[in-house]
Amino acid sequence: MKSSSTLDVLVIGGNGRVGASTLHWLNRLAGRSGGDQPLRLAIGGRSRANFDAVKRRLHLPELVFRPVDLEGGSESLISVVRGAQLVVHTAGPFQGRSEPDLLRACIAAGVPYCDVCDEFALSRQAKTLSGEAAAAGIPAVVSCGIWPGVSALMAARAVERLGGSEACERVELSFFTAGTGGAGPTIVSATFLLLASRVLTYVNGALTYKQPWTERRSIDFGPGVGKHACFLLDNPDVPTTVESLGVANCASRFGTAPGVWNSLFAAIKLLPSDWLLNRAAMQGLAVVSMPVIRVVDKLVGATNAMRVDADGKAVAGSDKPETVTLRCVHADLEDCVGQATAAFALEILRGRSDLSCSDPTIPAGVWYPSELQANARNNILQVARENALVWEM
Ligand SMILES: NC(=O)c1ccc[n+]([C@@H]2O[C@H](COP(=O)([O-])OP(=O)(O)OC[C@H]3O[C@@H](n4cnc5c(N)ncnc54)[C@H](OP(=O)(O)O)[C@@H]3O)[C@@H](O)[C@H]2O)c1
């Protein structure tokens, strides 16, 4: 039976790879805290069969299924989230969606919220609801996860290390994932969709759109990972870093392995953009590609590596501006994205259970990760550090 201090957490998209990993980590982290935040976990999704399979895989006998379709309209969304203490939204792809319907439903029902949205237009739209969320007393964090998410916290830390935005000339974000990192078809289709999207960069304070999969750079991700070719790819960390940290120059690059995958992406980019932007077609292409992708993943592993470089401004009398480089590597993308998402989720819950001794660190409103206060950012990074193969912060 549910005790008064039990917190109901609903993961919409929990049937998928990212959502299931988030549930695994929510269960693992909450159990470890000595029971001061017992969680009752539920999955919101369309497929009961997928739920049954995930429940078996996660060994969570108490896991509950709540049928929901994100396309089902606001009333059905409000009724599914009502009563939860937190909703985590991992039901991608986010590309092609323009309205934060689930966040709206959470605000209407008075439920805190976070998502793993990797589409800036949608996260920005969510941000416009910040006043409504604040008025309703609802904390919400958008674009959580490992990247975007922890990567934005790394950017905030790097800028802080340099002495703040006044001292920072540029922030460069770089990411490497071996294969698909064991991801689901949605991440693969999201990457295809990104290959048709202009890349949002900032040059001397000006928003500058660039072609995806251009401006190749060889990036050193540190011990065990080494150097990899990376190319411009759109990432909400760029505008959120610029908006919240006041940085004038920022761009994000991505590379994968084996090298032939990079060439394949370059070839896919040449497909007609109306085809690449067709969500159904890209999801279909991702699903049929999965058997090949899984074989390659087995061969190359699922490493996720992130690097943030923050360059200081030139100082008169000094030869070289200071540079701060932060690195973070985990063995498995699917695992670490769930770990990071659970870290954000638990931070939202902090101080909100009857038994919790701590105060909330994330106030009501809608926040990008890099906007969070230092104590919230540090708590999340502390969780993300666990199992890291490289942690240079
Ligand atoms: N921020 C980060 O660090 C980060 C990292 C990696 C990925 N991502 C994002 O995470 C998202 C999920 O990736 P994934 O690999 O977990 O995908 P996935 O395995 O394909 O799972 C997606 C899940 O979403 C659910 N879903 C889709 N449309 C829905 C709808 N209309 N209503 C209800 N549920 C719906 C599906 O549930 P059913 O099974 O019930 O149909 C499915 O299980 C992607 O968009 C990806 O871009 C973010």
Side-chain angles (χ1 to χ4, degrees):
M1 196 162 141
K2 176 179 176 287
S3 78
S4 63
S5 60
T6 301
L7 299 172
D8 283 298
V9 179
L10 173 64
V11 180
I12 296 189
N15 284 342
R17 293 266 172 171
V18 170
S21 176
T22 302
L23 284 155
H24 164 78
W25 275 95
L26 281 170
N27 184 54
R28 181 169 164 174
L29 294 168
R32 191 187 299 170
S33 64
D36 68 343
Q37 279 191 325
L39 302 183
R40 197 169 76 146
L41 300 172
I43 284 181
R46 298 168 298 186
S47 162
R48 159 67 76 169
N50 289 353
F51 167 76
D52 289 337
V54 167
K55 185 172 173 169
R56 275 193 304 276
R57 181 158 65 86
L58 292 178
H59 305 293
L60 290 176
E62 306 285 313
L63 196 60
V64 172
F65 183 58
R66 315 222 33 207
V68 60
D69 188 334
L70 290 176
E71 317 295 341
S74 63
E75 286 311 314
S76 93
L77 291 180
I78 291 170
S79 85
V80 83
V81 301
R82 182 161 281 134
Q85 273 74 48
L86 176 69
V87 163
V88 183
H89 177 9
T90 64
F94 294 89
Q95 287 74 16
R97 290 192 189 281
S98 54
E99 287 302 321
D101 297 325
L102 189 55
L103 172 58
R104 260 204 193 94
C106 285
I107 293 171
V111 181
Y113 167 96
C114 62
D115 66 39
V116 296
C117 178
D118 50 3
E119 170 69 16
F120 178 61
L122 188 54
S123 290
R124 171 171 269 169
Q125 197 57 26
K127 190 80 180 129
T128 65
L129 302 179
S130 196
E132 286 174 47
I138 300 308
V141 186
V142 292
S143 295
C144 299
I146 195 76
W147 66 274
V150 164
S151 48
L153 306 185
M154 290 168 67
R157 182 170 279 192
V159 172
E160 212 169 64
R161 284 271 164 80
L162 275 178
S165 58
E166 294 297 303
C168 182
E169 178 66 24
R170 96 182 57 251
V171 170
E172 297 281 347
L173 302 134
S174 308
F175 304 92
F176 167 76
T177 304
T180 62
T186 301
I187 295 185
V188 178
S189 77
T191 310
F192 292 160
L193 291 163
L194 283 175
L195 289 168
S197 312
R198 298 179 300 173
V199 183
L200 214 155
T201 72
Y202 285 82
V203 179
N204 297 329
L207 172 60
T208 309
Y209 287 105
K210 297 197 175 174
Q211 281 299 311
W213 219 251
T214 57
E215 299 193 17
R216 177 190 189 281
R217 277 195 196 161
S218 177
I219 308 289
D220 186 354
F221 288 95
V225 183
K227 286 190 178 175
H228 289 277
C230 291
F231 307 81
L232 286 177
L233 200 65
D234 205 42
N235 175 356
D237 282 335
V238 170
T240 60
T241 296
V242 167
E243 277 183 23
S244 48
L245 303 178
V247 174
N249 296 284
C250 191
S252 179
R253 284 176 174 74
F254 170 68
T256 181
V260 66
W261 257 192
N262 289 329
S263 312
L264 187 68
F265 283 158
I268 287 174
K269 197 192 92 175
L270 301 175
L271 291 171
S273 63
D274 56 345
W275 206 68
L276 280 172
L277 286 170
N278 182 326
R279 281 161 52 101
M282 287 306 106
Q283 187 73 6
L285 181 60
V287 169
V288 295
S289 312
M290 277 331 274
V292 179
I293 286 171
R294 287 281 169 256
V295 170
V296 176
D297 280 0
K298 276 215 163 60
L299 296 174
V300 298
T303 304
N304 182 68
M306 316 197 286
R307 171 172 165 155
V308 173
D309 293 286
D311 297 337
K313 288 189 173 148
V315 180
S318 146
D319 329 337
K320 223 174 149 227
E322 192 188 344
T323 292
V324 172
T325 296
L326 307 181
R327 292 187 184 89
C328 165
V329 177
H330 289 87
D332 185 286
L333 171 69
E334 180 185 335
D335 188 56
C336 72
V337 66
Q339 177 180 354
T341 308
F344 277 96
L346 291 176
E347 200 55 34
I348 292 172
L349 288 177
R350 185 185 291 274
R352 291 190 163 82
S353 79
D354 296 355
L355 299 177
S356 178
C357 314
S358 45
D359 292 327
T361 55
I362 302 180
V366 180
W367 310 101
Y368 297 138
S370 48
E371 290 180 307
L372 299 180
Q373 297 300 311
N375 53 354
R377 285 190 271 117
N378 291 338
N379 290 338
I380 295 164
L381 286 173
Q382 193 60 32
V383 176
R385 177 179 193 158
E386 184 168 329
N387 292 347
L389 303 174
V390 175
W391 187 261
E392 294 172 5
M393 296 283 162

